[in-house]
C-alpha cells in the first residue's frame, strides 16, 4: 500500500493497493480488498472494497476530519485461484491539523491563544526554578509542553513527560523545544545550538562549535521528524537533517530579538516570533495577526 503521509485534516488521501501472486504462482488476483484503520474497516466506494483491476491493483480515497495517527492494514479474501492474505507491517497515515492559529507563552507562564488555538493550562510561577522559554504542541494539538531555561519540562493536555535536562549540567541554557511526529518524544535546544533528544527523538545535527552572530533561541521539527530548524535571536535560521531553508530575518531590522520558531504542519514553511509579539512568515506559512504585548508585562518567549 502507498499513500501520501503526512496529510492534513479534511484533506483527501488516496491509498494505492496492489495484490500480487506469490511464486511459483502466476497471474493476477481478482475481487476486492478491505482496508482497516486502527483495526476498524472503512468503506472504499459503493462496494466498500478496493476493487482490483486486471493487474491486481486498486485505489481508495478517504478523508480524515481529525488529526491523529492511523495504522492501515489490508485484507484480501481470496478468489477461485488465489488464497486469502493480509498485509504485512502496517503503514501509518499521519494526519496533521490544518494550522489556523497559534499560542504564545510568556516567561512567567502567561499563555495567549490566537485563531483556533486552545489552552490546556500553564505552569504556575511558584513551580518555576527558572523562567519559561518555549512551548510546543503535541501532534494532535490536544496538549503541549512548556520548557524552562534549566531544561525543566511541564506537560499539559495529552502531552507526556519523557525526561528533561532539568537538574543536569548545561554549558548554555535551554532555549527551545520541538516534538517528534508521534508525540512520544521531543528535542530541547540550548543557546549554543546543542540539541538534547528524549523519548523517540533522534539527533540530526547542531550548531555547537559554529560561530554564531546571535545565540540560538528556538527549534522546530519537520513533520516526519528527520530534521529540524534552529533559529537565532537575529532571525537567522539553520536547517538540520532533512529540513529545508525558506528564508530568515538575518540581516534585517528587528524591533526586538526573535525568540521562537514554529513550522507549518506540512513542513513547507515556518513562523518566527519576536519578543514584542511580531510574527514573520516564510515559505507556505500564513500570516494571521501579531499578538498584542501581554498585559502581564512579561515579554513573549515562544510560539506554538
Amino acid at each position: 500500500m502507498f499513500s501520501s503521509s503526512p496529510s492534513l485534516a479534511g484533506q483527501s488521501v488516496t491509498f494505492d493497493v496492489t495484490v500480487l501472486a506469490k511464486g511459483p504462482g502466476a497471474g493476477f488476483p481478482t475481487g476486492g480488498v478491505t482496508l482497516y484503520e486502527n483495526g476498524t474497516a472503512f468503506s472504499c466506494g459503493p462496494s466498500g472494497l478496493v476493487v482490483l483491476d486486471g493487474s491486481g491493483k486498486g485505489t481508495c480515497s478517504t478523508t480524515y476530519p481529525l488529526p491523529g495517527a492511523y495504522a492501515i492494514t489490508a485484507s484480501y479474501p481470496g478468489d477461485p485461484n488465489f488464497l486469502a492474505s493480509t498485509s504485512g507491517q502496517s503503514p501509518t497515515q499521519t494526519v496533521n491539523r490544518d494550522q489556523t492559529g497559534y499560542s504564545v507563552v510568556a516567561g512567567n507562564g502567561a499563555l495567549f491563544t490566537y485563531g483556533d488555538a486552545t489552552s490546556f493550562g500553564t505552569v504556575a510561577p511558584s513551580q518555576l526554578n527558572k523562567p519559561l522559554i518555549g512551548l510546543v504542541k503535541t501532534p494532535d494539538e490536544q496538549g503541549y509542553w512548556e520548557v524552562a531555561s534549566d531544561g525543566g519540562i511541564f506537560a499539559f493536555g495529552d502531552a507526556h513527560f519523557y525526561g528533561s535536562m532539568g537538574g543536569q549540567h548545561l554549558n548554555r541554557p535551554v532555549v527551545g523545544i520541538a516534538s517528534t511526529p508521534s508525540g512520544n518524544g521531543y528535542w530541547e535546544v540550548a543557546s549554543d545550538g546543542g540539541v538534547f533528544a528524549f523519548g523517540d527523538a533522534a539527533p540530526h545535527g547542531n550548531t555547537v562549535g559554529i560561530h554564531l552572530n546571535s545565540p540560538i533561541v528556538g527549534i522546530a521539527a519537520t513533520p516526519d521528524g528527520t530534521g529540524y530548524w534552529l533559529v537565532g535571536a537575529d532571525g537567522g535560521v539553520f536547517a538540520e537533517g532533512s529540513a529545508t531553508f525558506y528564508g530568515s530575518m538575518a540581516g534585517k531590522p528587528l524591533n526586538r530579538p526573535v525568540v521562537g520558531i514554529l513550522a507549518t504542519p506540512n513542513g513547507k514553511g515556518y513562523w518566527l516570533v519576536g519578543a514584542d509579539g511580531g510574527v514573520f512568515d516564510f515559505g507556505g506559512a500564513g500570516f494571521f495577526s501579531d499578538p498584542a504585548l501581554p498585559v502581564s508585562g512579561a515579554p513573549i518567549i515562544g510560539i506554538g
Side-chain angles (χ1 to χ4, degrees):
M1 286 183 295
F2 173 80
S3 70
S4 179
S5 181
S7 60
L8 297 180
Q11 174 185 348
S12 178
V13 176
T14 299
F15 294 97
D16 295 318
V17 179
T18 301
V19 182
L20 300 174
K22 183 177 181 180
F28 297 102
T30 61
V33 172
T34 301
L35 294 184
Y36 298 82
E37 57 185 30
N38 296 335
T40 301
F42 64 94
S43 179
C44 292
S47 69
L49 302 176
V50 181
V51 178
L52 301 177
D53 61 17
S55 59
K57 298 181 179 181
T59 62
C60 173
S61 295
T62 188
T63 299
Y64 292 90
L66 298 176
Y70 301 85
I72 307 300
T73 55
S75 176
Y76 175 63
D79 68 10
N81 298 311
F82 295 91
L83 298 175
S85 64
T86 58
S87 61
Q89 184 176 359
S90 302
T92 297
Q93 182 67 33
T94 300
V95 181
N96 295 321
R97 189 173 184 177
D98 190 5
Q99 186 84 18
T100 57
Y102 37 69
S103 304
V104 292
V105 62
N108 62 356
L111 186 73
F112 306 87
T113 58
Y114 298 87
D116 68 354
T118 301
S119 173
F120 297 98
T122 187
V123 64
S126 61
Q127 295 177 269
L128 293 169
N129 294 322
K130 295 289 184 178
L132 289 180
I133 49 76
L135 172 150
V136 66
K137 294 178 182 177
T138 56
D140 64 3
E141 299 195 10
Q142 297 305 298
Y144 42 75
W145 295 273
E146 295 177 344
V147 63
S149 62
D150 62 354
I153 294 287
F154 304 89
F156 297 91
D158 66 358
H160 295 282
F161 179 77
Y162 296 105
S164 76
M165 292 303 293
Q168 302 185 53
H169 172 74
L170 292 168
N171 292 325
R172 294 290 187 274
V174 167
V175 294
I177 182 173
S179 170
T180 62
S182 67
N184 295 325
Y186 40 74
W187 296 270
E188 293 183 4
V189 64
S191 62
D192 61 355
V195 177
F196 311 97
F198 299 92
D200 65 356
H204 300 298
N206 59 65
T207 60
V208 175
I210 297 175
H211 172 72
L212 299 172
N213 292 326
S214 293
I216 297 298
V217 295
I219 181 173
T222 60
D224 62 3
T226 61
Y228 38 70
W229 296 270
L230 308 181
V231 64
D234 62 350
V237 174
F238 303 86
E240 305 289 345
S242 67
T244 299
F245 179 76
Y246 293 107
S248 76
M249 292 300 294
K252 300 176 182 178
L254 294 168
N255 292 327
R256 295 291 299 277
V258 167
V259 294
I261 182 171
L262 172 67
T264 61
N266 62 9
K268 300 298 184 181
Y270 39 77
W271 295 273
L272 309 183
V273 65
D276 59 355
V279 176
F280 310 96
D281 53 291
F282 295 92
F287 181 77
F288 301 108
S289 67
D290 287 335
L293 283 174
V295 295
S296 68
I300 295 301
I301 49 80
I303 181 170

